[in-house]
Amino acid sequence: MVDVILGLQWGDEGKGKIVDYFAPRYDVIARFQGGPNAGHMLYVDGKKVVLHQIPSGIFHENKINLIGNGVVLDPVTLKRECESVASFGINYRKNLFISKRTHLIIPTHRALDKASELSKGNEKIGSTLKGIGPAYMDKTGRNGLRVGDLLEKSFTSQYIKLRLKHQKLLDSMHFNDDISVWEDEFLEAIDFMREFNIVNGEYFINDKISKGQKVLAEGAQGSMLDVDFGTFPFVTSSNTISAGVCTGIGVAPQQIKDVMGVTKAYCTRVGSGPFPTELDNEKGELLRKVGQEFGATTGRPRRCGWIDLVALKYACMVNGVTKIIMTKADVLDAFSELQVCTNYEVNGKKTDEVPFQMTRVKIVPIWESLNGWNKDITHLRTPQELPEQMHHYVDFINKYLGVNISFISNGPGRDQLIEI
Ligand code: GDP
Ligand code: IMO
Ligand code: MG
């Protein structure tokens, strides 16, 4: 049996905290896509930790964590992260497994990412520049290197061949940054990785399932950044939606049970691209300040706005969401009036659908105003204690989406999650 936790917006919904919270109920926690573009922040022993590559179940003893084949893996980030996790007394050599089929991010992928963004000028994606797009291109283009290749004698020659191919591309893009430091770190990290538990991930996970163990699949990014269903081309390069779980760890669709979609009580986006409910004013500023909306991977300020129910309903549809988890509800404590977007006006026509193309059309959100609760909720622990206006906010969203909010997060702490 596999349950899924994934983001319903443009990422940073608080997936890391939620996976860490639910991990004790599962045997295996598996990342199924994305790479070090992700930044999942958790609090462990009161200390902040940001995970980019390692699943967010790593801090729980006796839980297996698997980096699935759908992930793209940067050995340098992995090594650094393992060192950070070890400083908490975690034995990652025992609990962390990597699929042989996981593709590697090599230094020239990062260089190509940078060169590609530079060449786009004003139309840049706002990539995290971690090499994600180029690494997935090499996967679908059938050129990439995989973790299993590390164990073969021919790895160095395979690496040199791919690197040369990249160099030609970089030369044609007139990109000549010195990346020798990245390469030194990479080669060191490659040696470190050879000592890992490298497994046939698809057999590994199906074997656990057949023994009755429970798997939690952890998504990165969000549904609106999905390469097929997101705001293309301003998306990431993987399938972030629940369908990505099957291809990203090698499980059949009928194994998937709950799809738990995480949404903020409002909305954020980092990087470029359409964001219909963005508030480019003092309210957006206030959301950013109260919500501390700065990227966990790049430190960039996140763009902020009200919740977008049109996009959220679409995300529920493409994911088959069974439960919604609403995070950062406490950030709305600062407001006496809340707005929710219930429709878009696209080129003057009202619609409740996400249009095929969101960049070259004018999208005006149509709002519904609701009362805010305007008081501190961070200390509350039961649904009965929640303010009436908040119940109304939640009911309004449940009715619109046709899926219920089952948990409300009212602070970053492990104890700040209320089951409704
Ligand atoms: P992820 O990428 O989806 O894991 O989310 P990030 O970790 O990038 O961003 C979410 C941020 O919100 C982190 O700094 C969390 O510590 C924080 N956070 C999570 N849940 C809550 C919440 O309910 N309230 C507040 N105030 N912060 C939260
Ligand atoms: P988590 O898992 C928010 C965004 C980037 C950029 C676009 C493409 O922490 O929610 P890429 O580096 O993939 O080429 O960037 O996607 N992006 C994220 N935004 N949270 C993330 O991950 C993101 N990962 C990528 O800002 O707009
Ligand atoms: Mg994040």
Side-chain angles (χ1 to χ4, degrees), residues 10-15 31 33 35-41 51 113 117 125-134 219-222 225 233-237 269-273 296-298 300 302:
W10 280 277
D12 301 327
E13 298 90 348
K15 300 173 291 294
R31 266 280 300 270
Q33 47 68 234
N37 48 350
H40 296 179
M41 192 185 282
L51 296 173
D113 211 356
E117 283 285 75
I125 308 292
S127 160
T128 59
L129 304 179
K130 302 291 179 189
I132 307 298
Q221 292 80 53
L225 287 171
F234 298 95
V235 292
T236 190
S237 300
R269 167 161 211 170
V270 61
S272 338
T297 298
T298 57
R300 291 177 292 178
R302 295 177 183 145

Side-chain angles (χ1 to χ4, degrees), residues 276 341 343-347 362-366:
C341 168
N343 285 279
Y344 296 156
E345 202 182 276
V346 183
N347 289 343
K362 187 170 158 46
I363 301 180
V364 182
I366 298 177

Side-chain angles (χ1 to χ4, degrees), residues 158-170:
Q158 288 185 59
Y159 170 70
I160 292 169
K161 202 167 136 201
L162 186 60
R163 198 218 174 286
L164 277 176
K165 203 175 244 178
H166 291 167
Q167 193 58 54
K168 281 192 195 136
L169 277 171
L170 289 166

Side-chain angles (χ1 to χ4, degrees), residues 18-19 36 52 81-82 104 110 126 172 229 293 327 335 346 366:
I18 302 300
V19 171
H52 302 284
E81 217 162 281
C82 285
L104 289 169
R110 286 164 65 192
S172 73
F229 298 103
E293 295 295 356
T327 58
F335 295 87
V346 183
I366 298 177

